[in-house]
Amino acid sequence: MSKKTFTETARRAQIVAAAIETLAELGHARTSFARIARRAGLSSTGLISYHFAGKEELITEVAATVLTEFREHVLPRMAGLDSAGAQLRAFLLANFDFMATHRPKLLALLEIGPALRSGAGDPGLLESDLAGLAELLRDGQRRGEFREFDPRVLALAIRSVRDGVLRRLAVEPELDLAACAVEVVRMFELATCEPGETWAGEQRD
């Protein structure tokens, strides 16, 4: 990698990091190139425009960056588990672990989600993430571990609950995420299993 390419890559990453912090603090509507430039310590917004044609391109890059880090955090925790229930539990717990250590990144993603879903940026980023979760649920049904339900609807419910906890965390920084994780895991175990059963295939008392 040439020195120029390295410098441009580092500048691009700096802009994305500043955008994440600005989005997390101010929200999508109040995030502008001017505010991002100030946070990044850049002399002008032209340095942002050199790398990103507009706000839509930048938020797409933010989403791609956060989702890549999220997947790198979550997927290894699911690897090697031999049941869909164990994988879903690992997925949920990893979400809360990531939330505890990368709160601004998830808040930024939460802020730009509506814009991406409305077509401002690349809506396929969020859709692919949702599709992966729905496929995990569908696989549990194929294995006979999960009851019959609409996998996409439940995937949306899981994401909505996660986002709801994140919104609460934004205004209540001392929120006990470990306790929240226990309740959410229990909620979706009940939602996916037949009455009286657990993800381990055991009968619940």
Side-chain angles (χ1 to χ4, degrees), residues 4-174:
K4 179 181 179 182
T5 302
F6 177 81
T7 301
E8 289 185 352
T9 300
R11 177 70 76 194
R12 189 178 178 93
Q14 178 189 13
I15 293 167
V16 169
I20 287 171
E21 292 174 2
T22 306
L23 284 160
E25 180 181 341
L26 302 177
H28 178 264
R30 296 175 61 201
T31 294
S32 64
F33 276 14
R35 286 190 166 106
I36 294 169
R38 282 198 297 272
R39 188 176 291 268
L42 302 178
S43 58
S44 75
T45 59
L47 292 170
I48 301 178
S49 299
Y50 175 80
H51 292 279
F52 300 97
K55 188 174 178 180
E56 290 183 9
E57 184 178 332
L58 178 53
I59 67 170
T60 293
E61 184 71 12
V62 167
T65 298
V66 174
L67 286 173
T68 295
E69 289 191 35
F70 174 76
R71 290 164 184 160
E72 289 174 350
H73 180 90
V74 172
L75 294 180
R77 289 161 171 75
M78 299 170 63
L81 298 177
D82 59 3
S83 74
Q87 290 174 357
L88 183 54
R89 178 185 285 107
F91 172 82
L92 293 170
L93 292 176
N95 265 264
F96 280 90
D97 184 42
F98 191 82
M99 194 183 301
T101 54
H102 298 80
R103 182 177 61 179
K105 293 174 182 177
L106 280 181
L107 284 172
L109 191 63
L110 186 62
E111 282 294 328
I112 63 180
L116 290 175
R117 285 189 283 271
S118 69
D122 181 4
L125 288 168
L126 294 182
E127 180 57 36
S128 64
D129 197 50
L130 188 67
L133 179 54
E135 181 55 30
L136 168 60
L137 297 169
R138 197 172 289 112
D139 183 56
Q141 292 176 323
R142 285 194 291 263
R143 296 185 190 193
E145 295 180 38
F146 296 162
R147 66 175 181 81
E148 286 302 312
F149 52 79
D150 185 323
R152 182 175 174 81
V153 168
L154 200 60
L156 283 166
I158 290 171
R159 188 163 72 180
S160 294
V161 168
R162 189 274 311 276
D163 289 353
V165 173
L166 185 59
R167 288 188 182 93
R168 184 177 172 191
L169 182 63
V171 297
E172 191 179 332
E174 301 306 315

Side-chain angles (χ1 to χ4, degrees), residues 167-185:
R167 288 188 182 93
R168 184 177 172 191
L169 182 63
V171 297
E172 191 179 332
E174 301 306 315
L175 180 66
D176 188 342
L177 286 177
C180 291
V182 169
E183 291 301 326
V184 170
V185 166

Side-chain angles (χ1 to χ4, degrees), residues 184-197:
V184 170
V185 166
R186 172 70 165 161
M187 177 192 306
F188 287 107
E189 184 176 44
L190 291 169
T192 55
C193 290
E194 294 289 352
E197 293 186 356

